[in-house]
Amino acid sequence: MSAAAVRAMARADELAACSERPGEITRRYGTPALVAARDLLEAWMLEAGLRTRVDRAGNLIGTLGREDRPGIMIGSHFDSVVDAGRYDGTLGVLLAIGCAEELAGADPAHDLAVVAFCDEEGARFPTDYFGSRAFLGGALPDGALTDSEGATLASGIETAGNAAAGPGSGLPANATAYLEAHIEQGPVLEAAGHPLGIVTSITGGVKLTVTLTGTAGHAGTVPMSLRRDAFSAAAEIALEAERAARDDGEAVATVGQVAVSPGAANVIPGRATISIDLRHQDDDRRARLLGRVREIVAEVARRRGVDAGIEMIHDERSVACDPGLGERMRAAARGLGLDPPALPSGAGHDAVILSAHVPVAMLFLRCAGGISHNPAESVTTEDVAAALAVLTAVVRDP
Ligand code: GLV
Ligand code: MN
Ligand code: MN
């Protein structure tokens, strides 16, 4: 077992303590918990011999500094969803640092840049791959965007970003590829008995915020026929969106956020806001599903006499991973006696954004029960060691 793999597991435990709330892992963008996690990552990068910098958004980049050879970036994100597991994103960053450790004193064929993205989940502000977009030099989103408590994105950037860093792409001049190792977040590898898998494509997704506005009123006095209940409309939209995804057969639809106002047991809800997350590997079918959901919102709102607004937070196409890079990882895995299957990713990843600039590839690690976005996320040190050996071989070998 490589010492670097054991260390990566211990570090995942240590990072888990960097949380907004004790007793769980919640590490959203622009919080002191996120900065504390980044400080740990930076210390480990420095120990691994990487030169580090933090960009204006708060991404952390560590470079080996061998600019005379083709560069490979390896990374993932270190923010989390609310009440998360300890491996989603974080493990990919730790494996990249482990790779730098494994290569210490060697003369690898490639340069290495470790990239730790500060906001992939969009769990606090209504942003869309904020970290990786900012890394690539994109315009920062509107600082006036707010979280659910009314704090602004500008204040989050003040906490997490490096004001002294200028705009501009952080893509190293010699970058030829971006690799991301990530837990599968699904059950396929475990069911098939494979520690690792090679990702073929990353599913596109759409995220909407739907706001329904009716009339708040007395729960005891307003007859059912005269109500404009914003939450009942939202609930019907959620169920209809679920039905539309089931009818497609391969799409998935999720309503994961619900806010009802004024929020009292004896008041008819005057306003309700829900998120709708829609995903499909096939871009045309996802577009059709989105069209159907727009119709549902309009139809339910009309029938129930409420006003409806739809805000598009995120609309990403499906992205293909580079077959050549995938084959290089597969060859390295075969050297370990493994035969990793090819599989698509149903989850979104920073590789989606990087793919517009460099070829990308993803290595999946099996996780117990396929469970993710849940504190029960679990991986084995053996599988982490195998992933580390694969990544290291790809950077080391021509
Ligand atoms: C990221 O975890 C996503 O797929 O939503
Ligand atoms: Mn996630
Ligand atoms: Mn992730």
Side-chain angles (χ1 to χ4, degrees):
M1 180 77 60
S2 91
V6 173
R7 217 162 24 239
M9 292 297 273
R11 287 172 174 175
D13 294 342
E14 205 173 327
L15 283 173
C18 300
S19 173
E20 295 168 52
R21 301 176 198 155
E24 65 178 51
I25 303 168
T26 296
R27 195 165 56 238
R28 297 170 306 155
Y29 178 72
T31 60
L34 184 102
V35 175
R38 189 181 63 206
D39 288 346
L40 283 176
L41 290 169
E42 185 164 21
W44 296 329
M45 284 188 188
L46 290 168
E47 267 173 44
L50 296 164
R51 295 185 212 143
T52 61
R53 66 185 167 84
V54 171
D55 72 10
R56 65 199 168 131
N59 299 303
L60 170 65
I61 299 107
T63 47
L64 211 54
R66 294 174 182 255
E67 287 94 4
D68 57 326
R69 54 201 82 186
I72 294 182
M73 295 177 283
I74 309 185
S76 194
H77 60 99
F78 61 99
D79 66 318
S80 85
V81 293
V82 172
D83 201 13
R86 64 190 58 199
Y87 302 110
D88 175 359
T90 313
L91 182 60
V93 178
L94 293 173
L95 280 166
I97 295 173
C99 196
E101 290 170 343
E102 295 290 71
L103 292 169
D107 187 23
H110 298 90
D111 191 17
L112 172 67
V114 176
V115 280
F117 295 113
C118 58
D119 185 2
E120 187 267 355
E121 303 284 6
R124 182 173 174 205
F125 297 102
T127 51
D128 170 27
Y129 292 112
F130 170 45
S132 38
R133 285 189 195 283
F135 169 75
L136 289 167
L140 298 185
D142 183 358
L145 290 173
T146 53
D147 69 6
S148 58
E149 261 105 54
T152 61
L153 175 62
S155 72
I157 295 175
E158 206 174 301
T159 300
N162 175 10
S169 176
L171 201 69
N174 62 349
T176 60
Y178 172 74
L179 305 183
E180 183 164 353
H182 203 286
I183 56 168
E184 181 201 339
Q185 307 184 277
V188 174
L189 293 174
E190 186 181 55
H194 288 287
L196 303 178
I198 309 291
V199 177
T200 49
S201 63
I202 305 168
T203 301
V206 171
K207 194 153 70 180
L208 309 171
T209 300
V210 180
T211 302
L212 291 313
T213 310
T215 306
H218 198 292
T221 59
V222 184
M224 298 308 284
S225 59
L226 298 180
R227 292 183 180 208
R228 296 174 69 232
D229 183 329
F231 174 68
S232 296
E236 190 173 341
I237 289 166
L239 290 175
E240 285 298 320
E242 184 188 49
R243 194 189 323 273
R246 282 184 200 274
D247 287 349
D248 174 274
E250 288 171 359
V252 286
T254 306
V255 172
Q257 286 174 315
V258 180
V260 179
S261 126
N266 60 353
V267 182
I268 300 164
R271 188 178 162 95
T273 304
I274 57 174
S275 60
I276 305 184
D277 181 308
L278 306 171
R279 306 197 194 199
H280 203 303
Q281 284 281 341
D282 183 310
D283 289 340
D284 292 339
R285 283 169 67 181
R286 191 181 56 259
R288 275 203 292 282
L289 178 65
L290 173 60
R292 176 70 197 117
V293 167
R294 286 185 186 280
E295 282 169 12
I296 290 167
V297 171
E299 195 271 316
V300 170
R302 191 167 48 244
R303 185 159 35 74
R304 289 180 167 272
V306 300
D307 297 323
I310 298 180
E311 190 189 351
M312 178 73 78
I313 306 297
H314 156 134
D315 185 2
E316 294 297 341
R317 73 204 192 288
S318 293
V319 157
C321 292
D322 185 76
L325 284 171
E327 274 317 306
R328 277 162 65 186
M329 294 199 292
R330 178 170 283 106
R334 289 208 169 115
L336 305 172
L338 302 174
D339 186 19
L343 77 171
S345 169
H349 299 286
D350 291 301
V352 167
I353 302 305
L354 273 291
S355 72
H357 298 261
V358 282
V360 302
M362 289 196 69
L363 182 68
F364 270 177
L365 290 81
R366 78 179 145 194
C367 55
I371 293 171
S372 184
H373 283 185
N374 183 313
E377 273 175 10
S378 173
V379 292
T380 67
T381 312
E382 289 74 16
D383 292 359
V384 168
L388 184 55
V390 168
L391 294 176
T392 305
V394 172
V395 179
R396 186 191 54 223
D397 301 338

